[in-house]
Amino acid sequence: MRAYYFDNIPGDQRLAHDSGKPVSEEHLRELGVLFWTIPVDSPDGWEPAINAVAKERSYKNRDTINVTKEGLGDLYESKLKTFFEEHMHEDEEIRYILSGAGFFDVRELPTDAWIRIHVLPGDLLVVPPGIYHRFTLDELNAIKALRLFKEEPKWTPHVRGPATEENPFRVDYVKSVAVA
């Protein structure tokens, strides 16, 4: 995982858009974004480590998503467009990268700057409820990820706007970052 400020230069969203200004894991933690590295090719396999994190954090459900043209078929372009629209969720978004790569962009408070997080195989990322974020593939145009959930999956993205600013999960998130 590598994190840095997004350069905001127009162009293909799948390019690095690296401003040259790195962001530390400590700063991500201050924003509620958590990260682990669990090698996919670990001699004991990755499942025991993922199971331990799932138990510790009360993740009860999981599935796998394959974001490729082949995996999503006719929905590929529309899904990528939806994933890249700025939104928040009322649940954590947990992804363990099995193959491929992509970018999670999260909004920094209080600056509202985008922080780009490049995820690669073996990266486990937790995006907190209430944080504005978006996702896109990188130039590999493919990612396979294990998704973990505390309860049944909730897929409702709340697009940024006045109503979302008043969403209790957004309000709680903003308060939690202001305290940190």
Side-chain angles (χ1 to χ4, degrees), residues 16-155:
H17 287 280
D18 189 343
S19 67
K21 298 175 188 167
V23 174
S24 69
E25 285 184 42
E26 179 182 342
H27 186 57
L28 290 175
R29 280 192 301 277
E30 290 168 355
L31 297 173
V33 177
L34 305 177
F35 172 81
W36 292 264
T37 298
I38 301 171
V40 173
D41 57 359
S42 171
D44 297 328
W46 53 265
E47 292 95 342
I50 290 292
N51 290 341
V53 172
K55 183 177 181 182
E56 176 186 323
R57 297 187 58 80
S58 301
Y59 301 147
K60 299 174 189 150
N61 295 301
R62 61 182 73 179
D63 70 9
T64 303
I65 186 168
N66 188 16
V67 182
T68 61
K69 288 181 183 178
E70 299 77 24
L72 294 175
D74 293 340
L75 298 175
Y76 177 75
E77 291 297 333
S78 66
K79 282 289 188 189
L80 282 183
K81 187 175 182 179
T82 300
F83 293 158
F84 200 64
E85 188 171 11
E86 184 175 4
H87 64 280
M88 57 143 261
H89 297 286
E90 294 180 348
D91 293 321
E92 289 181 336
E93 187 163 329
I94 307 102
R95 301 292 182 267
Y96 175 64
I97 311 308
L98 296 165
S99 64
F103 297 110
F104 278 90
D105 297 337
V106 296
R107 283 285 190 191
E108 178 184 56
L109 283 178
T111 69
D112 214 30
W114 280 117
I115 296 174
R116 177 153 272 199
I117 304 165
H118 194 197
V119 291
L120 303 166
D123 290 344
L124 174 63
L125 185 71
V126 177
V127 177
I131 191 172
Y132 288 125
H133 66 282
R134 60 189 184 188
F135 171 80
T136 191
L137 296 172
D138 69 4
E139 292 179 271
L140 295 175
N141 288 319
I143 196 167
K144 183 177 181 182
L146 179 71
R147 302 184 293 189
L148 297 123
F149 310 96
K150 289 194 178 208
E151 301 296 334
E152 289 300 315
K154 293 180 186 172
W155 300 111

